[in-house]
């Protein structure tokens, strides 16, 4: 008889919805249905049941042919590759649990590697800005219960975080937001007319790459100082109306995405967005929060932070932690040819890095740890499949508001398949054996 597992955490995006229900077979090996999840979250669970899923390690020979190898051989190849490299790159970490991240960092320290996560190509600029000026933030629970002015700047949660608006930001009825979306005002700043923008009370269709100017203009308008007729393609009256709307709210929250972090001015955009939030606190309560994408990219920054003091692009090649975005970030290292081996887990740089970086990965000794066939696994020398974290393996993950949540195991992985943490623990043991470390 089938059984239903409740309070399951979705392992797709940084919203980490924790109200899912999963119907599994009585032997606990097959997922039958997923309730409460968005379309993407549902697919994440069901895809683990794919018939063509890779269940054994595959290694590429010198002619480019793929051959099955044992787990012991995969562990040994990975350990030898990392130990023999002068400066290996260990990248990804955003779609796995904190326990695996911690084990991977110990390997990196022993091998003098560079550890970097997907923040390097998304919200790394946010982390730099927070280090510069701090951040007035809050939890998603506070947003649900208190926020009545919501700004989505450079993000499209209707597609990227499909349940964000229904669980936390727009539609839910909280302790002090009992009328739900009727009591909230929604402002969207985006050069495109997205599905999120179509739902907004006011869409500021900014000119591409001029976020810094509009943020500055809002700071001016909040203080009641004069503005030019248009700023970044937005009329003065609209900017003033938005400023007054935000000032009149009881609790303002600004959510921002890669439309701000990866456009012109980068971390300086976030500096001034935080300054705008600080200015609003002179009139009302205001907070700001990044819309983190990979479900545990926030956790990767947290684990790196408490172990090495820096949230991404941590260079351990000299025996101590160094941090220099633009120098020790993955794409910069790959394009300059400064790394001589690549280890990827919990990410797919083959699909998202510039082709110049992907070509470098293809030329180097490399390992991809992923339950999927991906563009990265296609260019790496070893593809090591592991259990789906959040589906076949539990563990700790951090929500986009830095709240840690324990994820739940739903079904058993295929027989003999290791978890990310299990594989890394075996690689760590082999590295210690090679290096003669107790």
């Amino acid at each position: 008889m089938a059984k239903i597992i409740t309070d399951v955490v979705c392992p797709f995006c940084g919203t980490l919805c924790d109200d899912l229900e999963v119907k599994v077979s009585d032997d606990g090996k097959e997922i039958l249905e997923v309730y409460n999840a968005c379309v993407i979250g549902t697919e994440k669970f069901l895809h683990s049941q794919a018939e063509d899923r890779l269940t054994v390690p595959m290694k590429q020979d010198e002619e480019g042919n793929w051959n099955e190898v044992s787990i012991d051989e995969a562990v040994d190849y990975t350990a030898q590759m990392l130990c023999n490299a002068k400066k290996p790159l260990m990248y990804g970490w955003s779609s796995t649990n904190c326990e695996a991240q911690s084990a991977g960092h110990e390997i990196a320290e022993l091998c003098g590697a560079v550890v970097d996560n997907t923040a390097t190509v998304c919200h790394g600029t946010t982390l730099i800005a927070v280090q510069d000026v701090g951040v007035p933030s809050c939890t998603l629970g506070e947003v649900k219960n208190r926020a009545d002015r919501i700004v989505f700047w450079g993000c499209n949660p209707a597609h990227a975080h499909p349940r964000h608006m229904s669980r936390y930001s727009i539609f839910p009825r909280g302790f002090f937001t009992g009328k739900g979306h009727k009591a909230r005002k929604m402002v969207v700043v985006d050069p495109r007319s997205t599905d999120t923008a179509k739902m907004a009370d006011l869409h500021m269709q900014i000119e591409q790459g001029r976020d810094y100017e509009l943020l500055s203009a809002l700071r001016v308008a909040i203080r009641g100082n004069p503005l030019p007729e248009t700023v970044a393609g937005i009329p003065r009256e609209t900017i003033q109306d938005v400023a007054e709307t935000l000032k009149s709210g009881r609790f303002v929250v600004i959510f921002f995405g890669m439309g701000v972090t990866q456009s012109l001015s980068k971390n300086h955009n976030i500096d001034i967005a935080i300054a705008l939030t600080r200015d609003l606190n002179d009139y009302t309560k205001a907070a700001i929060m990044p819309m983190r994408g990979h479900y545990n990219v926030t956790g990767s920054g947290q684990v790196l932070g408490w172990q090495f003091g820096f949230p991404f692009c941590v260079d351990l090649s000299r025996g101590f932690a160094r941090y220099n975005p633009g120098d020790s970030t993955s794409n910069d290292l790959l394009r300059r040819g400064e790394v001589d081996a690549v280890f990827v887990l919990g990410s797919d740089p083959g699909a998202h890095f510039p082709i110049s970086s992907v070509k470098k990965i293809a030329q180097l000794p490399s390992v991809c740890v992923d339950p999927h066939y991906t563009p990265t696994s296609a260019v790496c020398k070893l593809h090591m499949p592991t259990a789906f974290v959040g589906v076949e393996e539990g563990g700790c993950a951090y929500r986009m508001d830095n709240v840690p949540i324990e994820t739940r195991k739903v079904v058993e992985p295929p027989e003999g398949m290791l978890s990310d943490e299990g594989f890394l623990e075996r690689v760590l043991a082999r590295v210690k054996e090679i290096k003669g470390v107790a």
Side-chain angles (χ1 to χ4, degrees):
M1 183 177 178
K3 58 183 179 180
I4 293 180
I5 301 173
T6 60
D7 302 318
V8 175
V9 178
C10 178
F12 168 59
C13 76
T15 309
L16 283 184
C17 298
D18 56 3
D19 62 339
L20 274 57
E21 296 183 356
V22 181
K23 187 177 182 181
V24 301
S25 58
D26 55 1
D27 60 2
K29 293 183 178 179
E30 184 181 358
I31 295 174
L32 303 177
E33 291 186 68
V34 181
Y35 304 106
N36 299 337
C38 68
V39 174
I40 309 172
T42 300
E43 186 60 27
K44 179 95 176 185
F45 281 90
L46 297 179
H47 188 64
S48 67
Q49 312 287 296
E51 293 182 3
D52 62 347
R53 176 179 171 183
L54 182 66
T55 56
V56 294
M58 300 290 289
K59 189 169 180 291
Q60 195 177 138
D61 61 25
E62 293 180 359
E63 285 77 39
N65 300 314
W66 289 92
N67 303 295
E68 289 186 15
V69 295
S70 68
I71 290 177
D72 288 339
E73 289 175 299
V75 167
D76 186 66
Y77 175 85
T78 304
Q80 294 284 359
M81 178 193 80
L82 293 171
C83 288
N84 293 334
K86 291 182 178 179
K87 191 174 185 178
L89 170 64
M90 300 182 72
Y91 175 79
W93 309 107
S94 299
S95 289
T96 190
N97 54 33
C98 294
E99 292 83 355
Q101 292 162 356
S102 182
H105 298 168
E106 188 173 354
I107 297 170
E109 197 166 18
L110 285 170
C111 296
V114 177
V115 185
D116 200 6
N117 58 38
T118 56
T120 192
V121 289
C122 62
H123 277 281
T125 50
T126 300
L127 298 169
I128 295 169
V130 169
Q131 290 164 340
D132 285 344
V133 296
V135 59
S137 195
C138 64
T139 67
L140 289 174
E142 289 179 277
V143 175
K144 172 184 174 180
N145 288 303
R146 297 178 183 276
D148 61 347
R149 299 289 186 271
I150 306 293
V151 180
F152 290 114
W153 198 305
C155 56
N156 184 17
H159 288 189
H161 302 79
R163 297 188 71 213
H164 189 280
M165 291 187 286
S166 61
R167 271 183 63 79
Y168 296 113
S169 53
I170 301 298
F171 298 106
R173 299 183 179 190
F175 287 120
F176 306 107
T177 52
K179 294 182 180 179
H181 73 282
K182 294 180 181 178
R184 293 183 171 99
K185 294 290 185 182
M186 177 179 170
V187 178
V188 173
V189 184
D190 200 306
R192 302 168 301 158
S193 181
T194 63
D195 286 335
T196 303
K198 291 171 185 175
M199 299 169 59
D201 294 292
L202 182 59
H203 175 204
M204 302 176 78
Q205 197 157 3
I206 186 176
E207 293 176 356
Q208 181 70 40
R210 299 185 68 182
D211 302 272
Y212 193 95
E213 295 169 64
L214 185 55
L215 286 160
S216 298
L218 280 169
R219 293 187 70 194
V220 171
I222 283 169
R223 291 183 169 92
N225 293 327
L227 286 168
E229 287 189 14
T230 62
V231 177
I234 307 299
R236 172 174 54 208
E237 293 75 17
T238 301
I239 297 171
Q240 291 170 336
D241 286 347
V242 170
E244 290 304 314
T245 298
L246 298 181
K247 286 167 64 177
S248 65
R250 290 177 302 161
F251 194 121
V252 181
V253 179
I254 301 172
F255 292 103
F256 64 95
M258 288 178 62
V260 189
T261 66
Q262 297 299 318
S263 63
L264 293 175
S265 298
K266 299 233 172 169
N267 58 292
H268 299 296
N269 286 335
I270 316 307
D271 283 344
I272 197 165
I274 292 170
L276 170 63
T277 310
R278 189 174 61 234
D279 290 349
L280 283 167
N281 274 291
D282 289 339
Y283 303 92
T284 182
K285 173 66 178 173
I288 187 168
M289 189 182 301
M291 297 285 279
R292 306 302 295 270
H294 285 74
Y295 90 98
N296 197 27
V297 61
T298 306
S300 177
Q302 290 281 350
V303 177
L304 279 170
W306 77 58
Q307 290 185 332
F308 301 120
F310 307 110
F312 72 112
C313 66
V314 179
D315 186 348
L316 301 164
S317 61
R318 296 187 186 179
F320 58 92
R322 293 187 301 138
Y323 166 77
N324 191 12
D327 173 53
S328 57
T329 34
S330 297
N331 277 306
D332 299 284
L333 292 169
L334 286 166
R335 295 174 72 178
R336 292 197 304 264
E338 290 186 16
V339 293
D340 51 355
V342 178
F343 176 92
V344 178
L345 185 149
S347 178
D348 189 11
H352 301 104
F353 275 12
I355 189 63
S356 55
S357 296
V358 178
K359 285 180 178 178
K360 288 287 187 181
I361 296 173
Q363 294 165 6
L364 295 171
S366 50
V367 174
C368 175
V369 181
D370 202 304
H372 306 275
Y373 288 104
T374 66
T376 304
S377 70
V379 299
C380 284
K381 304 300 185 289
L382 173 69
H383 182 186
M384 176 66 197
T386 51
F388 276 76
V389 177
V391 180
E392 299 165 344
E393 181 70 20
C396 182
Y398 278 74
R399 205 166 59 186
M400 65 170 66
D401 56 353
N402 292 298
V403 172
I405 297 175
E406 192 70 20
T407 62
R408 180 165 292 187
K409 180 178 180 177
V410 176
V411 291
E412 295 293 331
E415 188 176 351
M417 182 167 286
L418 298 175
S419 65
D420 288 345
E421 183 187 8
F423 175 67
L424 289 166
E425 290 288 358
R426 289 184 62 171
V427 172
L428 175 60
R430 181 69 181 120
V431 166
K432 288 181 176 179
E433 186 181 321
I434 294 168
K435 290 186 171 289
V437 177

